[in-house]
């Protein structure tokens, strides 16, 4: 697939990003390794050159690029494709759409398929709502058009009106039992049961059952959404759900650290402390 260099978007990404950290790694050799890795990762992602010293704020851009692409991108055992999927779903949750456009193109450059990229956007709908999901989808579709990818993409749904609840329950119950139904059972008017039914039929039934991403990957990405949202109680339950699916604590921690430059330290540290206690 042809690599995309979105120069204007990347410039805006640099101007709007608020991540950065002074160099605290001792030793010239270690610091050079960070720089070399930054340049290598940046070229793979954006088909461009990092640390150019150009633009209106070269100091911030240098800190940002070395920190993210030279340090965070080598923390934990995640491949480049997974890192970019995490980045895209985090930016979608935050609604930082110019940065999402740059990283959607980067995701395609490192092997994320158009269907996978669309599916991770769809996955956000139960957690951030449809308006924000549609905003992100508009941006990703712009990238697809710029890459010559025909729209609409092939449908990935697998359930029917008749079995969507049953198929959702088959995924939800082994991971979470009836905890949501129990938690909402005393909502006035019995409306808690309706909310619980929506969760089973829509979130787990219509979204989790789709082709394009397996449930294990979806749950890891959902943990990143919840980390970005600072959703404490859901971080605990979805942490346990991830572990049941084979995403161990180290994988969860690495995913949270991949979110860190985009969401900041407070929500990331909160999520890491929750992982500690799982």
């Amino acid at each position: 697939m042809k690599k995309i260099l979105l120069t204007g978007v990347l410039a805006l990404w640099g101007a709007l990003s608020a991540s950065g950290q002074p160099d605290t790694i001792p030793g010239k050799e270690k610091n050079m390794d960070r720089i070399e890795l930054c340049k290598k990762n940046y070229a793979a992602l954006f088909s461009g050159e990092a640390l150019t010293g150009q633009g209106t704020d070269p100091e911030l851009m240098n800190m940002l690029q070395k920190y993210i692409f030279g340090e965070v991108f080598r923390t934990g055992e995640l491949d480049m494709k997974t890192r970019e999927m995490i980045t895209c779903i985090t930016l979608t949750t935050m609604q930082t759409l110019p940065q999402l456009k740059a990283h959607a193109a980067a995701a395609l450059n490192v092997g994320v398929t158009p269907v996978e990229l669309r599916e991770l956007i769809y996955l956000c709908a139960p957690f951030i709502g449809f308006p924000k999901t549609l905003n992100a989808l508009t941006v990703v579709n712009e990238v697809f058009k710029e890459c010559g990818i025909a729209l609409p993409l092939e449908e990935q749904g697998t359930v029917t009106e008749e079995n969507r609840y049953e198929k959702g329950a088959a995924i939800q119950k082994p991971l979470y039992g009836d905890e949501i139904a129990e938690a909402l059972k005393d909502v006035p008017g019995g409306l808690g049961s309706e909310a619980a039914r929506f969760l089973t039929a829509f979130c787990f039934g219509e979204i989790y059952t789709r082709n394009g991403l397996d449930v294990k990957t979806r749950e890891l990405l959902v943990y990143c959404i919840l980390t970005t949202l600072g959703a404490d109680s859901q971080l605990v339950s979805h942490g346990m759900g991830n572990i049941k699916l084979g995403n161990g604590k180290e994988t969860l921690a690495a995913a949270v650290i991949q979110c860190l430059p985009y969401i900041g330290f407070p929500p990331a540290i909160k999520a890491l402390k929750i992982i500690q206690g799982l």
Side-chain angles (χ1 to χ4, degrees):
M1 180 176 294
K2 182 178 178 182
K3 293 192 173 186
I4 312 102
L5 177 58
L6 300 172
T7 306
V9 174
L10 292 177
L12 187 54
W13 149 246
L16 296 179
S17 293
S19 301
Q21 175 176 302
D23 180 12
T24 59
I25 300 178
K28 182 177 179 180
E29 183 176 350
K30 186 69 173 176
N31 190 54
M32 285 300 295
D33 288 345
R34 178 173 84 133
I35 291 172
E36 290 170 359
L37 184 59
C38 168
K39 290 181 176 179
K40 177 182 177 182
N41 285 338
Y42 193 90
L45 289 162
F46 302 112
S47 305
E49 183 181 355
L51 309 177
T52 62
Q54 303 299 310
T56 57
D57 292 281
E59 289 180 291
L60 181 62
M61 285 301 294
N62 283 349
M63 285 191 289
L64 179 156
Q65 290 172 357
K66 287 187 285 187
Y67 169 40
I68 296 177
F69 305 111
E71 293 185 90
V72 170
F73 263 66
R74 69 179 175 196
T75 303
E77 299 296 325
L78 299 174
D79 60 27
M80 184 79 80
K81 177 178 172 180
T82 302
R83 291 183 187 280
E84 274 307 288
M85 292 175 73
I86 289 170
T87 299
C88 286
I89 208 160
T90 300
L91 296 174
T92 296
T93 304
M94 295 173 65
Q95 289 291 280
T96 46
L97 300 179
Q99 292 86 353
L100 173 62
K101 186 170 186 180
H103 277 279
L108 295 174
N109 283 342
V110 296
V112 178
T113 68
V115 166
E116 288 171 330
L117 185 53
R118 183 190 64 177
E119 286 305 309
L120 72 86
I121 302 298
Y122 279 22
L123 180 59
C124 293
F127 302 94
I128 65 173
F130 281 108
K132 292 178 180 178
T133 301
L134 289 170
N135 288 345
L137 198 59
T138 297
V139 168
V140 169
N141 284 340
E142 288 175 4
V143 174
F144 289 158
K145 290 176 183 177
E146 290 171 9
C147 296
I149 298 168
L151 295 174
L153 300 180
E154 185 179 352
E155 293 186 5
Q156 301 297 320
T158 65
V159 299
T160 65
E161 288 295 304
E162 291 73 30
N163 68 13
R164 57 196 283 268
Y165 183 89
E166 176 189 353
K167 295 291 186 181
I171 295 174
Q172 180 185 18
K173 292 204 172 185
L175 296 175
Y176 304 110
D178 295 319
E179 63 181 67
I180 292 297
E182 284 297 312
L184 298 178
K185 65 181 181 180
D186 293 326
V187 172
L191 297 182
S193 63
E194 290 297 287
R197 181 174 62 82
F198 294 156
L199 180 67
T200 302
F202 169 56
C203 179
F204 291 100
E206 292 188 70
I207 299 294
Y208 270 59
T209 60
R210 293 175 60 81
N211 292 323
L213 294 174
D214 59 26
V215 174
K216 182 179 178 181
T217 301
R218 289 181 186 277
E219 268 295 288
L220 184 64
L221 293 173
V222 165
Y223 204 81
C224 297
I225 297 174
L226 298 172
T227 294
T228 304
L229 294 173
D232 297 33
S233 62
Q234 289 89 348
L235 281 170
V236 175
S237 59
H238 278 270
M240 295 304 300
N242 268 278
I243 290 171
K244 289 177 182 178
L245 288 167
N247 293 321
K249 292 184 181 183
E250 288 188 11
T251 299
L252 288 175
V256 169
I257 289 174
Q258 185 64 32
C259 300
L260 194 159
Y262 309 103
I263 65 176
F265 281 93
I269 289 174
K270 177 164 65 174
L272 290 171
K273 289 176 70 176
I274 288 172
I275 292 168
Q276 273 185 300
L278 293 176

